[in-house]
């Protein structure tokens, strides 16, 4: 069974930065496509970004493109979400998700295509 554990959330002022981490168990992490999603209170879960198993390709939601960056360290079974220029509307619980099989970027925003999910980490951006 694969486990994903997010960390790095917290309270930050608008314009600030945070880096979230998602640590994965399992020897095959390096073959997983990984995504980040978020859910604000009273809203549906929203796609944030995606990275292929190799880290060679990333894809972002338009709302975060240019501000957020996803990277991964397969040797340490970790994927990162670097968030810069944070805005109050970025406030949400952030989740990482993993998919064992290949996933094309054009489908990466479909949460139902992911096999494993973390428990989430709260990010709060104050104005």
């Amino acid at each position: 069974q694969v486990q994903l554990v997010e960390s790095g959330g917290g309270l930050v002022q608008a314009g600030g930065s945070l880096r979230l981490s998602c640590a994965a168990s399992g020897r095959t992490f390096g073959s997983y496509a990984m995504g980040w999603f978020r859910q604000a209170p009273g809203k549906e879960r929203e796609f944030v970004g995606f990275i292929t198993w190799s880290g060679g390709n990333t894809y972002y939601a338009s709302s975060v493109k240019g501000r957020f960056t996803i990277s991964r360290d397969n040797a340490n079974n970790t994927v990162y979400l670097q968030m810069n220029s944070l805005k109050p509307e970025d406030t949400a619980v952030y989740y990482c998700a993993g998919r064992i099989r290949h996933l094309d970027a054009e489908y990466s925003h479909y949460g139902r295509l992911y096999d494993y999910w973390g428990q989430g980490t709260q990010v709060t951006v104050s104005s």
Side-chain angles (χ1 to χ4, degrees), residues 15 21 36 45 52 94-95 105 110 112 115-116 126:
S21 299
W36 283 96
R45 184 176 62 197
T52 55
Y94 283 71
Y95 300 90
Y110 290 113
R112 65 180 184 268
D115 303 299
Y116 302 103
S126 63

Side-chain angles (χ1 to χ4, degrees), residues 6 20 36-39 48 64 68 81 83 86 89-96 118-125:
E6 302 94 337
L20 305 184
W36 283 96
F37 292 77
R38 66 187 182 186
Q39 187 166 20
V48 173
V64 306
F68 290 12
L81 178 64
M83 304 185 294
L86 283 161
E89 51 263 43
D90 293 319
T91 295
V93 177
Y94 283 71
Y95 300 90
C96 65
Q119 83 290 347
T121 186
Q122 176 70 47
V123 172
T124 302
V125 184

Side-chain angles (χ1 to χ4, degrees), residues 45-107:
R45 184 176 62 197
E46 175 188 22
F47 171 76
V48 173
F50 164 80
I51 187 166
T52 55
W53 69 270
S54 67
N57 287 296
T58 53
Y59 179 67
Y60 300 94
S62 58
S63 58
V64 306
K65 193 171 184 178
R67 300 188 297 121
F68 290 12
T69 303
I70 298 174
S71 61
R72 66 190 298 161
D73 179 354
N74 287 343
N76 290 299
N77 286 4
T78 304
V79 64
Y80 302 99
L81 178 64
Q82 177 67 44
M83 304 185 294
N84 298 329
S85 301
L86 283 161
K87 305 175 181 180
E89 51 263 43
D90 293 319
T91 295
V93 177
Y94 283 71
Y95 300 90
C96 65
R99 175 177 164 92
I100 298 174
R101 294 166 299 279
H102 172 76
L103 182 61
D104 287 333
E106 63 181 302
Y107 302 114

